[in-house]
Amino acid sequence: MTPTIGPPPGGALPRISRPFEVTHREVWRITLPMTFAFVTTPLLGVTDAGVIGQLGDPVALGGLAVGSVIFDVAFSSFNFLRSGTTGLTAQAAGEENGREVQAVFWRALMIALTVGIAMILAEPVITALGLLAVAPGPAVAVATGTYVFVRMFSAPFALVNYAVLGHVLGRGQGGLGLALQLLINGVNIALSITFGLVLGWGIAGVALGTVAGETVGALVGAAVVIRRFDPADRPSRVRILDRAGFLRMLGVNRDIMIRSFSLLAAFTLFTRFGAGFGAVVLAANGILMNLFLVGGYFLDGVATAAEQLVGRSVGAHWLPAFDRAVKLAILWSAVLAAAISLVFLLAGDALIALLTVDPGVRDTAEAFLPWAALTPLAGMLAFVMDGVYIGATWSRTMRDMMLVSLALFVLAAFTLTPLFGNHGLWLAMELFLSMRGVSLLLSLPRRRRAAFAPAG
């Protein structure tokens, strides 16, 4: 379509709009491959545990479990590199600003390498803090130290992969994103089995397999992205190092990091309250939360589509595309959430039986299964709105609403849990998930008006 120019109010300079259509097919072109990529990711943990389990060494298995927790926290803290890059790239693409698309990628790459190298240098401190938090036995601590030391060399490459995936998704290339994730996971699984089991290198071999997977993925991913760049849009060094561009990226990333830490705090508090009811309830809650997290992988696929399409519409300054993207993302998230909830209700007992053989834990989990089945519906809007706000780079509002929702969860947990026990705790979680989505939805009209107002 030909770009259109909106009428200038009161002599203000006109702002160029670049119309494009958002269709169901466009939503699913990103949703489907990324959902598959997200769902296959847990296979890595299963494979690693299976390799160490075949060695018959419970100490090494414990070390793997503790080490994995340390990396989950460390790497999830920097996952903003993926989402922040997606939003900024999508907006630059919507503006048809090829130079800025490339500049965003190079800035993200520089941040990824800097932070990754810093993590390698800080490995002793990260390991010590992780061991202090978990407090495993001496033998498990030694195995954990070995695993973290080796795997930490993957940090720069893992963060580069975040930047690459963010760029790819920002361009709406869901198929390429899936291919790169399958490459990383495939090399990781194959070499973890080879090094850890076939060659007998144990936990160090499993960690080395992860390093190899992340390294191959980063090198191939960066090469593919750079090869696709148009030489005519190559940004200057001055543009790449532009202070305002870096500050914008760091500001978005900071807010997303705070949001992620707040989400982690809510889940940690949920686990802490559950522990107060004893080991059986704690285990049952853990199983049910895992069901919710698996369901979240499917909702994340739609949220990723919302990131790209909303970011592109903001960059293109085309309100019809923005409205259509939001509506379709909510529609398909609601459909998926309802389907996931129905599966949990109908097949939840069988899923629980696959995850535990303990009759007490199984009975307890089945008693609270309806709460777990409700979580996809309660959290659906939060997933969608996260995608919308990340794509539009409205990270400050997303951060603020997360903090408000966390405060509500803390208040609800301390109030409802003493009154209704574990049922009260689950109710507090449902309120937290719902509040996140509703608060962002209520903030949407104001942000929408500001983003699409004529320049003045």
Side-chain angles (χ1 to χ4, degrees), residues 151-205:
R151 185 177 168 184
M152 191 61 74
F153 287 99
S154 73
F157 304 104
L159 298 185
V160 165
N161 284 323
Y162 286 167
V164 169
L165 184 59
H167 171 86
V168 166
L169 295 180
R171 300 301 305 271
Q173 299 165 341
L176 177 57
L178 171 60
L180 292 175
Q181 292 303 110
L182 292 178
L183 173 65
I184 295 169
N185 295 344
V187 172
N188 189 336
I189 290 173
L191 293 185
S192 291
I193 293 173
T194 301
F195 295 152
L197 196 58
V198 177
L199 297 181
W201 294 353
I203 193 169

Side-chain angles (χ1 to χ4, degrees), residues 161 164 176 179-180 183 214-226:
N161 284 323
V164 169
L176 177 57
L180 292 175
L183 173 65
E214 297 286 3
T215 302
V216 171
L219 295 177
V220 172
V224 170
V225 167
I226 294 170

Side-chain angles (χ1 to χ4, degrees), residues 3 61 69-70 75 123 128 165 188 240 244 291 304 323 357 370 399 413 444 451:
L61 195 59
V69 169
I70 293 174
F75 283 165
E123 181 273 324
L165 184 59
N188 189 336
I240 293 172
L291 293 181
T304 302
D323 289 341
V357 296
R399 175 202 68 191
L444 190 60

Side-chain angles (χ1 to χ4, degrees), residues 57-351:
D57 186 353
V59 171
L61 195 59
L64 174 66
V66 175
S68 296
V69 169
I70 293 174
F71 276 98
D72 285 345
V73 174
F75 283 165
S76 64
S77 302
F78 297 102
N79 193 42
F80 58 74
L81 270 171
R82 202 284 299 164
S83 50
T85 303
T86 297
L88 294 171
T89 300
Q91 289 185 26
E95 294 173 354
E96 298 179 6
N97 190 340
R99 282 188 173 83
E100 186 60 17
V101 167
Q102 294 188 32
V104 167
F105 174 75
W106 290 116
R107 290 174 198 139
L109 211 63
M110 293 169 65
I111 294 173
L113 291 172
T114 301
V115 173
I117 293 171
M119 289 179 69
I120 292 176
L121 297 177
E123 181 273 324
V125 176
I126 294 173
T127 302
L129 291 175
L131 293 175
L132 181 64
V134 181
V140 172
V142 171
T144 300
T146 299
Y147 178 79
V148 174
F149 174 78
V150 175
R151 185 177 168 184
M152 191 61 74
F153 287 99
S154 73
F157 304 104
L159 298 185
V160 165
N161 284 323
Y162 286 167
V164 169
L165 184 59
H167 171 86
V168 166
L169 295 180
R171 300 301 305 271
Q173 299 165 341
L176 177 57
L178 171 60
L180 292 175
Q181 292 303 110
L182 292 178
L183 173 65
I184 295 169
N185 295 344
V187 172
N188 189 336
I189 290 173
L191 293 185
S192 291
I193 293 173
T194 301
F195 295 152
L197 196 58
V198 177
L199 297 181
W201 294 353
I203 193 169
V206 168
L208 187 59
T210 301
V211 175
E214 297 286 3
T215 302
V216 171
L219 295 177
V220 172
V224 170
V225 167
I226 294 170
R227 186 180 180 84
R228 293 186 174 195
F229 282 159
D230 186 344
D233 289 332
R234 182 176 298 154
S236 66
R237 183 179 301 177
V238 172
R239 180 169 190 140
I240 293 172
L241 299 177
D242 176 62
R243 184 171 181 269
F246 263 110
L247 288 178
R248 186 185 182 201
M249 176 170 279
L250 292 173
V252 169
N253 291 342
R254 176 202 63 213
D255 294 334
I256 295 175
M257 177 187 280
I258 294 172
R259 168 257 185 199
S260 298
F261 275 132
S262 299
L263 187 61
L264 182 62
F267 289 147
T268 301
L269 185 60
F270 178 86
T271 302
R272 186 178 182 89
F273 268 98
F277 296 115
V280 172
V281 172
L282 177 63
N285 282 353
I287 289 172
L288 295 177
M289 281 302 294
N290 279 330
L291 293 181
F292 165 62
L293 294 176
V294 170
Y297 290 129
F298 292 89
L299 298 177
D300 266 333
V302 183
T304 302
E307 289 177 28
Q308 199 280 331
L309 295 171
V310 166
R312 183 182 170 193
S313 67
V314 170
H317 197 245
W318 189 237
L319 182 57
F322 176 89
D323 289 341
R324 180 73 168 165
V326 172
K327 289 177 182 177
L328 291 187
I330 292 176
L331 169 65
W332 285 114
S333 290
V335 170
L336 282 176
I340 295 166
S341 293
L342 186 61
V343 169
F344 286 170
L345 284 174
L346 298 179
D349 293 353
L351 294 173

Side-chain angles (χ1 to χ4, degrees), residues 388-400:
V388 170
Y389 278 71
I390 287 172
T393 60
W394 298 333
S395 57
R396 182 174 298 181
T397 303
M398 185 172 66
R399 175 202 68 191
D400 292 345

